[in-house]
Amino acid sequence: KDARSQANQKIKEIKGNRDERHGKMKELGGVLKDINQKRTPMENKNSPWYLKKRIDELKTKLETEALPFSKEKDLCKQIKDLEKEYKKIKAIEDINKEGREKSSEISKLRREAQGFHEEIQKLAQDSETHHQAVISLSKKVDELKEEEDKTAHEFKKVKGECAEIGKALKEKLGTAVEQ
């Protein structure tokens, strides 16, 4: 019985851990949903790395080459446009990275919760085994009590019969001694 109680206590603790993981998963799921709503499809397939490199090349060209004013103005506009695109793509990439991190964290929590669930199942099975053993022993005790009651009843009956025989024997002995 104590083993079953201990198993049930352990199950309660593990369920608490599992429920905690489920709560965190739910919370992160909400965060991930918000992140997914913020995501916008990338209009340009340029990577932030490529855009940064292109911006640096244009800045270097602007600083090192003698260019006519109109060409310089075009380069500045081109750099400004590329920087806007870089910031936009970088922001999208950061959101995507955060989404991947949250998704990874949810997966980790899901695995932990599954581990706790499996442990709960094992302990519940052990607890059920102990419970069945207790029930079996309880039935055995009941059967033994019934047998004890029958034996005690038979003993009383035989004792009563012995007492009557003893009384009859005393009477016969008492009359035999008088004669």
Side-chain angles (χ1 to χ4, degrees), residues 1 4 124-140:
K1 200 169 187 178
R4 183 165 193 249
Q125 184 63 40
D126 291 347
S127 176
E128 182 61 24
T129 302
H130 289 299
H131 180 66
Q132 292 302 325
V134 166
I135 289 173
S136 175
L137 289 173
S138 178
K139 285 180 182 178
K140 183 93 169 168

Side-chain angles (χ1 to χ4, degrees), residues 96-113:
N96 289 341
K97 181 181 177 187
E98 185 181 0
R100 285 189 302 273
E101 288 171 355
K102 296 300 180 197
S103 184
S104 174
E105 196 172 336
I106 288 171
S107 294
K108 179 185 170 208
L109 290 170
R110 187 173 286 125
R111 285 188 302 274
E112 288 176 3

